[in-house]
Amino acid sequence: MLRYSLKRAFSLAISLAVASLVIFAVIEIAPGDPASFMLGVNAQPDTLAALRTELGLDQSKAERYISWITGMLRGDFGTSYTYRTPVSQMIADRMWVSLPLALYALALSTAIAFPAGIYAASRRGKVGDLTVMSATQLGVAIPNFWFAMMLVLVFAINLRWFNAGGFAGWDKGLAAGLHSLTLPAIALALPQAAILARVMRSALLDILGEDFMRTARAKGLSRRQALWRHGLRNALIPVLTIIGLQFSFLLAGSIIIEQVFYLPGLGRLVFQAISARDLIVVESVVMLLVFAVITVNFLVDLAYAAVDPRLRSRT
């Protein structure tokens, strides 16, 4: 297991190095000068040059890349061009919204998908199976931003159970914070739950056709007992893959939902930084999200090896 973990850790480090180069290159070649954007088109050349020097934009791209990478390794993400505050502080403030939102949505998605997928697999071809598959097909087809607006319309405007947007803050208590994140979490969770439920059902049905499952049935176990005692564990590998990918998506891809609900999260921060040509913020946040995605995949690989030890000998 240690050798397997070290190989995966080495792959993680290589992936992060390549990702940092790609992120820096793509963002730096984007048109527009942050200094010119901040001062306007009528700025004097000497004032523009002074601001470029202050922001470090007069350095070569190689020097700026090395400075950016070494700073991140020390925990220093630089200073925002627009807000003139440390990027690490801006990220930390907004991470307390985006990370709980992603975890909340993932918990809801898993809590819905696991029972639905198991129920559908245990009643293959019956009314229950068809009902679950129809519901998941609808969940996959509905765009989450449209679903989010419908949630606002029904539960915020008509019923007034929730606020239409904004975040109360954790300083007002855990209940107030979770209450503010409930509608966004549902909007993110239900489409992901539909996907996860279909994967769970498919994985369980594949397992039911295996020899060890037929042996369990021959020993007197019912279909449902064999499913719970022997099938569920062996069906977790593809399900873990989807859960890992979903968490990465929920953390990095919630920009539209954060815009709909006016949440001060990482997605909205990136959107505002792109609009203001705040390159250092965009680079740092995107790199952090890539790190989160790659790290989650690394942890999923380790979970694979824990669930199925045969995978350790294949690498």
Side-chain angles (χ1 to χ4, degrees):
M1 186 66 182
L2 178 61
R3 183 180 177 185
Y4 180 86
S5 301
L6 290 175
K7 287 183 177 180
R8 287 291 178 264
F10 180 74
S11 299
L12 181 146
I14 296 297
S15 299
L16 287 174
V18 173
S20 69
L21 283 169
V22 172
I23 291 169
F24 185 84
V26 169
I27 294 177
E28 288 296 326
I29 65 176
D33 178 26
S36 299
F37 185 90
M38 294 170 65
L39 295 178
V41 295
N42 297 322
Q44 297 296 321
D46 55 343
T47 306
L48 189 62
L51 181 59
R52 288 180 59 83
T53 301
E54 180 185 353
L55 298 178
L57 298 174
D58 59 334
Q59 299 176 346
S60 67
K61 286 183 170 53
E63 291 175 330
R64 287 162 60 188
Y65 173 75
I66 293 173
S67 175
W68 176 55
I69 288 297
T70 54
M72 284 198 301
L73 292 175
R74 298 192 306 268
D76 180 12
F77 291 85
T79 302
S80 167
Y81 299 159
T82 304
Y83 299 101
R84 311 304 297 154
T85 57
V87 177
S88 58
Q89 179 182 337
M90 298 173 66
I91 291 176
D93 292 341
R94 287 156 177 81
M95 183 65 78
W96 282 105
V97 177
S98 291
L99 183 59
L101 174 61
L103 293 173
Y104 193 3
L106 186 66
L108 290 176
S109 173
T110 305
I112 295 170
F114 270 54
I118 295 170
Y119 177 81
S122 64
R123 288 163 175 78
R124 181 180 184 182
K126 298 180 180 179
V127 175
D129 182 25
L130 297 176
T131 302
V132 171
M133 288 299 98
S134 299
T136 56
Q137 186 64 44
L138 184 62
V140 171
I142 295 177
N144 60 3
F145 69 87
W146 180 88
F147 184 55
M149 290 188 290
M150 293 301 101
L151 289 175
V152 171
L153 180 63
V154 174
F155 294 101
I157 297 177
N158 292 336
L159 297 178
R160 300 184 181 275
W161 291 354
F162 299 90
N163 292 327
F167 180 64
W170 297 112
D171 55 331
K172 294 185 178 179
L174 179 62
L178 291 178
H179 188 266
S180 299
L181 296 179
T182 296
L183 287 185
I186 293 173
L188 287 169
L190 286 187
Q192 302 305 313
I195 297 171
L196 188 59
R198 296 178 74 89
V199 173
M200 172 64 81
R201 174 187 179 274
S202 177
L204 286 173
L205 291 179
D206 289 341
I207 291 297
L208 286 174
E210 296 291 336
D211 291 339
F212 71 89
M213 293 295 290
R214 286 193 288 267
T215 301
R217 294 292 304 279
K219 290 182 177 180
L221 293 180
S222 66
R223 181 186 180 92
R224 188 174 302 178
Q225 289 174 329
L227 193 67
W228 280 99
R229 295 185 187 180
H230 304 287
L232 188 58
R233 175 185 174 89
N234 290 279
L236 283 180
I237 291 180
V239 174
L240 287 174
T241 303
I242 299 300
I243 290 177
L245 294 174
Q246 286 186 344
F247 177 74
S248 303
F249 167 78
L250 292 170
L251 183 61
S254 60
I255 179 170
I256 298 177
I257 298 300
E258 290 182 2
Q259 286 294 111
V260 171
F261 290 97
Y262 297 99
L263 294 176
L266 290 176
R268 196 155 186 240
L269 175 62
V270 171
F271 180 82
Q272 294 170 339
I274 291 173
S275 302
R277 288 292 298 160
D278 203 340
L279 300 183
I280 189 68
V281 174
V282 179
E283 290 169 351
S284 299
V285 175
V286 172
M287 188 64 207
L288 180 66
L289 294 176
V290 168
F291 173 77
V293 170
I294 295 176
T295 302
V296 167
N297 290 335
F298 169 72
L299 296 176
V300 169
D301 286 341
L302 297 185
Y304 280 177
V307 172
D308 188 355
R310 295 172 298 177
L311 295 175
R312 304 173 199 170
S313 60
R314 297 177 186 174
T315 58

